[in-house]
Amino acid sequence: MNMIHAKDYSDMSRKAANIISAQVILKPNSVLGLATGSTPEGLYAELIRRYQSNDLDFSLVSSVNLDEYRGLSPENDQSYRYFMQTKLFDHINIRPEATFVPDGLEPDAARACSRHEEAIRNLGGIDLQLLGLGNNGHIGFNEPAPVFEKETHCVDLTQSTIDANARFFASREDVPTQAYTMGIRTIMRAKKILVIVNGEQKADIVAKAFFGPVTPEVPASILQMHPDVTVVGDEAAFSKLPANA
Ligand code: GLP
């Protein structure tokens, strides 16, 4: 695991943008696995800047997102499709038909999930998967559980995730209780993984996930078994790492 130390949030965003830029420059038709949450916002803003200054071209890039709330439409400003459009896709030259987010409006969960897996397969797999880290160690919406979930599936969100995401909704009752998410195997099949973390509220879980035992109770801990993982974190998020990490 490659731990890259950043000073602060904007430094983390730039360093992560360097890695994604290198991927897209070296392989213009890359398949990028993308994430939502507050952590990647600065990174996406940085990618937009680089596109605007002609340093990046997304015309051949495809993207697949990790997850989507079940029941939210693309027009709902809390849906992850809406997030991706407004924070990234609408501002770069990625082809709309080359962006895949699980379909939150597909009521048949099995169909929504198998279609997402099929989209990933048809693209030939993910070259670089970007991940944030939930406070409880979740990646995508793979919540702590007795076993690692494999493929894209429908999850019941834990109370701690609902609480953490409530800040984005008008009221707690508006927070969806289920989501479609790539599974652990889907994520682990990506050729490269880039995790970004910032803030002292992530310090404990960062140490636990990347330096503690591998267990489905800390879903991100499985990343220790992946051959090509880079974690970019700011000082606060890395403040509880073992010495020399
Ligand atoms: C959400 C998303 C995750 C994200 C996580 C952390 O629940 N499903 O993909 O990584 O929360 O969010 P944040 O970056 O806002 O801390």
Side-chain angles (χ1 to χ4, degrees), residues 35-40 66-67 69 80 131-135 138-141 161 165 167-168 202:
T36 53
S38 45
T39 315
L66 281 167
D67 47 14
Y69 288 115
Y80 286 168
L131 296 174
L133 185 62
N135 292 328
H138 74 219
I139 46 179
F141 267 135
T161 298
N165 291 346
R167 66 189 194 277
F168 300 115
K202 297 279 170 78

Side-chain angles (χ1 to χ4, degrees), residues 53-92:
S53 56
N54 289 323
D55 289 322
L56 273 185
D57 174 16
F58 292 90
S59 60
L60 299 176
V61 167
S62 304
S63 72
V64 276
N65 262 76
L66 281 167
D67 47 14
E68 178 61 286
Y69 288 115
R70 186 181 192 190
L72 294 197
S73 74
E75 292 75 37
N76 185 308
D77 64 3
Q78 291 309 320
S79 74
Y80 286 168
R81 166 56 80 176
Y82 185 92
F83 176 103
M84 291 310 303
Q85 291 301 138
T86 52
K87 306 284 183 198
L88 184 64
F89 298 155
D90 289 348
H91 310 284
I92 59 174

Side-chain angles (χ1 to χ4, degrees), residues 144-167:
V147 291
F148 288 113
E149 285 281 353
K150 300 179 185 80
E151 318 263 290
T152 302
H153 58 289
C154 181
V155 281
D156 294 328
L157 301 178
T158 62
Q159 197 55 45
S160 90
T161 298
I162 293 172
D163 293 345
N165 291 346
R167 66 189 194 277

